[in-house]
Amino acid sequence: MTATAYVHGYDPREADRLHDQAHALAELLHAGTTYASGAHVLEAGCGTGAQTVELARRSPGTWFTSIDRSARSVDAARQRVDAAGLANVAFRQADIMALPFAPQSFDHVFVCFVLEHLPRPADAVAALMQLVRPGGTLTVIEGDHGTACFHPDDPAARAAIACQVALQQRAGGDPFIGRRLHRLLAAAGLHDVRVTPRLVYTDGSRPGFADSFTRRTFTVMIEGVRASAITAGLIDAAAFDAGVRALNRTAEPDGSFCYTFFKATAVMR
Amino acid sequence: MTATAYVHGYDPREADRLHDQAHALAELLHAGTTYASGAHVLEAGCGTGAQTVELARRSPGTWFTSIDRSARSVDAARQRVDAAGLANVAFRQADIMALPFAPQSFDHVFVCFVLEHLPRPADAVAALMQLVRPGGTLTVIEGDHGTACFHPDDPAARAAIACQVALQQRAGGDPFIGRRLHRLLAAAGLHDVRVTPRLVYTDGSRPGFADSFTRRTFTVMIEGVRASAITAGLIDAAAFDAGVRALNRTAEPDGSFCYTFFKATAVMR
């Protein structure tokens, strides 16, 4: 994973977005994920702790080890977990491809919004599998930008999304990884691979959710690549800004917005 | 609605598809739809009765009146309902834009895969609303071809889907109507409009469902426009067939397929 300006979690506004997202989406994404009391769980790629807080709160008797390769993100995550009054998380700076843990150190591994950024996600899955005891589980949550669909539809909005897609692909990531999570985990030799899509849908009947998800999560994420996209020559400022306006337009009372996250669970032999 | 070769339900193979679809998707689409004993419900646009059987079975004490503008479809629907041993459905040939019923004749109206074919769906909603008593409900289920997403992704598959989209649009329909159902019903003056997306997802963990939905429902529907698309000059035979193969490819054990239906319910003032 190459550090680029757009990678999630480094920019303060981006960090806010992830916090909003974790709050608005927590139930949707984390439903079904609780770990046994006393279990040891590795959260690989915790970023600024948006999901860490949810994990630790939902499984208060579980011991979490949350790692990220960015020391700054680890610091932010630690502060967030402390502020939430949670004492069941240990943090460590480490790269997901060179983790400082013995084989089978953990009962379970949890990965969220990480594989989409990696040039070789299958290698990361293989590395993480080494750390899980037989019978333990791997849980992976990723997005898929191909699932974004909205009313009013607008070519300008699609062009702005395409910038995020292109930049993520240039950095070696896969913005469409969600739909291939099943294959990725099954091909790695994991068992009982189950993928449940988690569809976010907003319309005028829930203006607060349209605001928190469509405007302050999805559109802010797209806005986050503005400078990179313009610098890379993918789009000009006026076209990009029109795209952002078109995306925000879909959060008006007569608009709608859909996006699907994919959550996979699998068992180590 | 103009009769065209591709419109759902006229071709025997298409009728089979709708029957398979009704079976595989029945729980997904109909969950939440049961009517009170003694209630009178209009099913507007019953086609060959794929949904009629589900409706009548799930609400055995309810009286259904199912109409379609095609006498052939009505006959097929009647036979299907008779074969299912259901006695709570009356059929009638009628056009949705000129229905032979007095105002407020029904407690509820149900419409499935119909508005997507109409040049003026808002007019149809307005006409149907006249038939519902105050406090009654309108339920609408429609697809949205923009939600189709699959692995492996393939431009040939997208080209074949684009043929169905173009033909439906040329006939005055809207293959992307799902995402705007909320707006359509709210703008008509209906109350408490609630839309719940119903996402169909198939992957290698459920090969039977991948076969029944991806191959025998979605891909067969796309195949149904082959002759029309070639005749219209939208695509050549080889390209279309490659698209169909690419769609069927996504039902292999390492593939996946997503499609979202939208179900709306609303209340008459």
Side-chain angles (χ1 to χ4, degrees):
Chain A
M1 191 163 97
T2 314
T4 63
Y6 86 89
V7 168
H8 304 340
Y10 291 85
D11 176 78
R13 192 175 177 201
E14 179 75 356
D16 281 351
R17 176 186 77 80
L18 292 173
H19 183 67
D20 281 349
Q21 174 168 334
H23 185 70
L25 296 181
E27 189 51 36
L28 187 87
L29 298 181
H30 290 277
T33 300
T34 51
Y35 296 106
S37 197
H40 286 81
V41 177
L42 173 66
E43 183 196 10
C46 64
T48 60
Q51 311 306 323
T52 315
V53 170
E54 295 296 331
L55 286 174
R57 195 176 273 148
R58 282 159 194 265
S59 298
T62 302
W63 300 107
F64 291 93
T65 300
S66 294
I67 65 103
D68 200 274
R69 69 192 183 95
S70 155
R72 230 168 100 193
S73 289
V74 168
D75 283 346
R78 188 182 284 115
Q79 284 173 34
R80 182 177 284 180
V81 163
D82 287 349
L86 296 160
N88 55 335
V89 186
F91 288 98
R92 206 157 156 178
Q93 183 191 353
D95 191 295
I96 202 168
M97 296 309 292
L99 290 169
F101 304 111
Q104 305 187 11
S105 298
F106 295 94
D107 297 299
H108 309 287
V109 168
F110 177 92
V111 191
C112 184
F113 306 147
V114 171
L115 300 185
E116 66 192 40
H117 299 298
L118 305 183
R120 288 179 300 280
D123 290 356
V125 170
L128 292 170
M129 284 168 66
Q130 299 302 316
L131 303 181
V132 182
R133 66 161 169 81
T137 65
L138 180 64
T139 298
V140 181
I141 302 175
E142 303 288 342
D144 188 319
H145 282 8
T147 67
C149 110
F150 38 85
H151 177 76
D153 203 347
D154 194 309
R158 300 216 163 265
I161 294 171
C163 291
Q164 154 91 35
V165 164
L167 289 168
Q168 192 164 342
Q169 287 172 332
R170 285 179 186 197
D174 179 1
F176 308 119
I177 199 169
R179 71 188 74 175
R180 66 183 180 96
L181 275 191
H182 184 273
R183 169 176 170 64
L184 191 64
L185 301 193
L190 285 154
H191 286 260
D192 202 17
V193 181
R194 301 283 162 189
V195 174
T196 53
R198 314 270 166 133
L199 192 157
V200 181
Y201 169 74
T202 74
D203 66 25
S205 68
R206 296 174 69 193
F209 192 50
D211 186 56
S212 78
F213 184 77
T214 306
R215 283 205 189 89
R216 291 191 291 120
T217 299
F218 187 83
T219 306
V220 167
M221 176 191 70
I222 297 299
E223 275 188 279
V225 306
R226 184 180 190 278
S228 307
I230 294 167
T231 302
L234 294 172
I235 198 167
D236 65 42
F240 190 88
D241 294 343
V244 167
R245 281 196 302 276
L247 285 171
N248 280 324
R249 168 72 184 82
T250 70
E252 296 292 312
D254 62 351
S256 70
F257 194 92
C258 292
Y259 188 91
T260 303
F261 297 93
F262 293 80
K263 181 171 184 171
T265 58
V267 177
M268 274 298 291
R269 227 192 248 277
Chain B
M1 190 164 94
T2 313
T4 63
Y6 86 91
V7 167
H8 304 340
Y10 291 84
D11 176 80
R13 194 175 176 203
E14 177 77 354
D16 280 351
R17 176 186 77 80
L18 292 173
H19 183 67
D20 281 349
Q21 174 168 336
H23 186 71
L25 297 180
E27 189 50 38
L28 187 87
L29 297 181
H30 290 277
T33 301
T34 52
Y35 297 106
S37 197
H40 286 79
V41 176
L42 173 67
E43 182 195 12
C46 63
T48 60
Q51 311 307 323
T52 314
V53 171
E54 294 296 331
L55 285 173
R57 195 175 274 149
R58 283 158 193 264
S59 298
T62 302
W63 299 107
F64 292 92
T65 300
S66 294
I67 66 104
D68 199 274
R69 69 193 183 94
S70 155
R72 229 169 98 193
S73 290
V74 167
D75 283 346
R78 187 182 284 114
Q79 283 172 35
R80 180 176 285 181
V81 163
D82 287 349
L86 296 160
N88 55 333
V89 186
F91 288 96
R92 206 158 157 177
Q93 181 190 354
D95 192 293
I96 202 168
M97 297 307 294
L99 290 169
F101 304 110
Q104 305 187 9
S105 298
F106 295 94
D107 297 298
H108 309 286
V109 169
F110 177 91
V111 190
C112 185
F113 306 148
V114 171
L115 299 185
E116 64 192 41
H117 299 297
L118 305 183
R120 287 178 300 280
D123 290 355
V125 170
L128 292 170
M129 284 169 65
Q130 299 301 315
L131 303 181
V132 183
R133 66 161 168 82
T137 65
L138 180 64
T139 298
V140 182
I141 302 176
E142 302 289 342
D144 188 318
H145 283 7
T147 67
C149 110
F150 39 85
H151 177 76
D153 204 347
D154 194 308
R158 301 216 162 267
I161 295 171
C163 291
Q164 154 91 35
V165 164
L167 289 169
Q168 193 164 343
Q169 287 172 331
R170 285 178 187 196
D174 179 0
F176 308 119
I177 199 170
R179 71 188 75 174
R180 66 183 181 95
L181 275 191
H182 184 273
R183 171 178 169 64
L184 191 64
L185 300 193
L190 284 154
H191 285 259
D192 202 17
V193 182
R194 303 282 163 190
V195 175
T196 55
R198 314 269 167 134
L199 191 157
V200 180
Y201 168 74
T202 75
D203 66 25
S205 68
R206 296 174 69 194
F209 192 51
D211 186 56
S212 79
F213 185 77
T214 305
R215 282 204 191 90
R216 292 191 291 121
T217 301
F218 188 84
T219 305
V220 167
M221 175 191 72
I222 297 299
E223 276 188 278
V225 305
R226 185 180 188 278
S228 306
I230 294 168
T231 303
L234 293 173
I235 197 166
D236 65 44
F240 190 88
D241 294 343
V244 168
R245 280 195 303 277
L247 285 171
N248 280 325
R249 169 70 184 85
T250 70
E252 296 292 312
D254 62 351
S256 69
F257 193 92
C258 293
Y259 188 91
T260 303
F261 296 93
F262 293 80
K263 181 170 183 171
T265 59
V267 178
M268 275 297 291
R269 228 194 249 278

